[in-house]
Amino acid sequence: MKPSARAHPMRLALDVAWEFQLLTFPNPAVGAVCVGPSGEILSVGAHKKAGGPHAEVYALRDAYVRLSGDSMIAECDDSHAIHDYLRTHHNGIFEHVSMAVTLEPCSHSGKTPSCAMLIRDMGIKSLDIACKDPNPAAAGGARMLSDAGTECRFGVMEEEGKALLEPFVRWQNRTFAFFKWAQRLDGTVDGGIISSEGSRIHVHALRDKCDLLVIGGNTVRCDRPTLDARLIGGRAPDVLIYSRTDDFDRSIPLFNVEGRKVYVESSLERMRDYRLVMIEGGAGMMASCALYCDWHLGYVAPKFGGGSVGMGSITEEFEVLHATISDDIRLWMKTIRKKPE
Ligand code: AOF
Ligand code: ZN
């Protein structure tokens, strides 16, 4: 999508960050936008994977290319190379540029160099920030920038920024688990492939990042799934089959992925040993995991017919944290916990 000059820069930063939600594990999902002197959107950047360039670096790279016409680093994905190139070539081009970032720019050098120092050295005029960085090693970038004369404004769309950051905050010291399912518009969840190729690739990208996948015993018996990340050539997570009986056909591919642990257990406590956990299954599984689940991820395919089983007797209400519409509708949600009456 071409960024519109009218959209709120922080809205764009949040939206692009959500595209990579959980895929940045163990880093946070972060988005950044560069804005020109008349409020026009110059660039939109997201952190895409741990170890890769931070959101601000992509946004500064693309704004530089657009403003200067120099495309030498247009395709560059190496953080150090982008930092070095911008430092030696910026030539004051960012003088009237401001930025919006969903997370305070990092002050430290981790796997990548400090964003706060790069923003400072580019002479960015002002900076809107949704949330402080909860990681003490990386926090303090805004102070560093204020001291250098950049006008920093905290708390812009803070609620949305906090929702985006929630998995990162949780997996610092405990498990973050989400329940994923796909359904048709008629509510059915059975009868073969439901979601689009893009959604299935997204699921495989998530499996590649998760360290445990939890699945119901009945799904394994009926679907005989492999539960790997073959659509993106990724790694297969460990699997916990939640079942009272261990009567599985061990010849199916799920049990024969090299390096993978498979547990068959009648308790879900194993989840607590892992940091990022995806749960797949139907209504029974959703109900059993309710207390372990932080978020729900639903893919709704715009079609009727082909299935006969729905999510059945589940009663649950969600707050939608983020929705993406492409071939399917992708909904990141959180249960609304009602207080007992
Ligand atoms: C930012 N922008 O896009 C992200 C940030 O090892 P590193 O260098 O990748 O640093 C990871 C830490 O940096 C991470 O724990 C978090 O505190 C912050 N993430 N910061 O300025 C970004 N992803
Ligand atoms: Zn950074």
Side-chain angles (χ1 to χ4, degrees):
M1 187 185 78
K2 199 159 178 282
S4 137
R6 298 238 166 95
H8 192 297
M10 191 63 84
R11 181 74 263 155
L12 291 176
L14 289 160
D15 286 346
V16 71
W18 272 101
E19 287 304 304
F20 298 91
Q21 180 60 277
L22 307 187
L23 301 176
T24 58
F25 177 76
N27 278 357
V30 181
V33 166
C34 287
V35 184
S38 324
E40 74 277 23
I41 303 296
L42 297 173
S43 60
V44 178
H47 184 46
K48 297 176 186 166
K49 60 172 185 189
H54 285 184
E56 299 90 326
V57 177
Y58 277 126
L60 287 167
R61 181 196 74 175
D62 291 356
Y64 167 80
V65 170
R66 180 157 170 189
L67 292 171
S68 68
D70 169 11
S71 56
M72 267 304 279
I73 51 165
E75 304 296 327
C76 181
D77 279 318
D78 181 295
S79 216
H80 290 86
I82 301 172
H83 277 250
D84 291 348
Y85 195 88
L86 289 178
R87 279 217 164 74
T88 46
H89 289 79
H90 72 90
N91 207 14
I93 210 166
F94 293 106
E95 193 188 352
H96 301 292
V97 173
S98 53
M99 292 184 78
V101 292
T102 63
L103 182 70
E104 176 184 20
C106 61
S107 60
H108 77 316
S109 286
K111 290 198 187 81
T112 70
S114 158
C115 291
M117 284 187 207
L118 183 65
I119 292 171
R120 180 196 63 192
D121 296 348
M122 293 306 105
I124 292 292
K125 193 172 76 149
S126 68
L127 187 68
D128 281 355
I129 304 167
C131 295
K132 273 196 159 43
D133 192 329
N135 171 7
R143 163 51 64 89
M144 191 186 271
L145 281 160
S146 301
D147 290 349
T150 306
E151 193 188 311
C152 294
R153 195 153 63 110
F154 264 113
V156 178
M157 296 197 177
E158 189 171 16
E159 284 301 302
E160 290 90 336
K162 280 189 173 155
L164 174 72
L165 208 55
E166 193 177 309
F168 175 70
V169 172
R170 296 214 182 222
W171 67 49
Q172 296 308 306
N173 44 34
R174 73 166 190 80
T175 310
F176 177 85
F178 65 104
F179 184 91
K180 168 255 143 187
W181 83 102
Q183 67 171 69
R184 301 179 187 84
L185 272 182
D186 60 14
T188 55
V189 296
D190 63 327
I193 290 177
I194 295 169
S195 44
S196 68
E197 191 186 359
S199 298
R200 283 180 283 127
I201 287 174
H202 186 245
V203 170
H204 280 223
L206 289 169
R207 282 183 185 163
D208 176 56
K209 297 297 174 220
C210 288
D211 41 18
L212 182 71
L213 208 151
V214 183
I215 185 122
N218 278 339
T219 307
V220 175
R221 285 182 201 99
C222 301
D223 293 358
R224 302 163 74 86
T226 308
L227 304 177
D228 63 3
R230 64 193 173 283
L231 292 180
I232 61 146
R235 56 172 259 298
D238 290 351
V239 172
L240 167 61
I241 302 174
Y242 179 56
S243 172
R244 265 187 300 261
T245 50
D246 186 350
D247 52 356
F248 298 97
D249 174 1
R250 301 269 160 176
S251 71
I252 67 171
L254 185 160
F255 291 98
N256 297 294
V257 176
E258 225 181 279
R260 157 188 277 177
K261 292 196 191 98
V262 182
Y263 311 94
V264 180
E265 290 169 3
S266 56
S267 152
L268 291 164
E269 281 302 296
R270 174 79 56 189
M271 280 170 56
R272 304 213 191 270
D273 299 342
Y274 288 83
R275 282 168 84 196
L276 180 55
V277 177
M278 170 148 84
I279 306 158
E280 300 195 37
M285 205 50 197
M286 193 193 267
S288 305
C289 295
L291 292 177
Y292 291 81
C293 234
D294 295 292
W295 283 5
H296 289 72
L297 170 60
Y299 299 85
V300 183
K303 48 173 106 152
F304 290 92
S308 54
V309 178
M311 288 304 259
S313 53
I314 291 263
T315 306
E316 195 71 275
E317 272 182 50
F318 300 105
E319 171 194 355
V320 176
L321 303 170
H322 197 263
T324 317
I325 303 174
S326 55
D327 293 344
D328 293 331
I329 301 166
R330 188 193 303 164
L331 296 166
W332 290 98
M333 296 176 286
K334 190 173 174 170
T335 306
I336 299 170
R337 297 256 174 252
K338 293 216 179 94
K339 290 200 184 91
E341 285 168 19

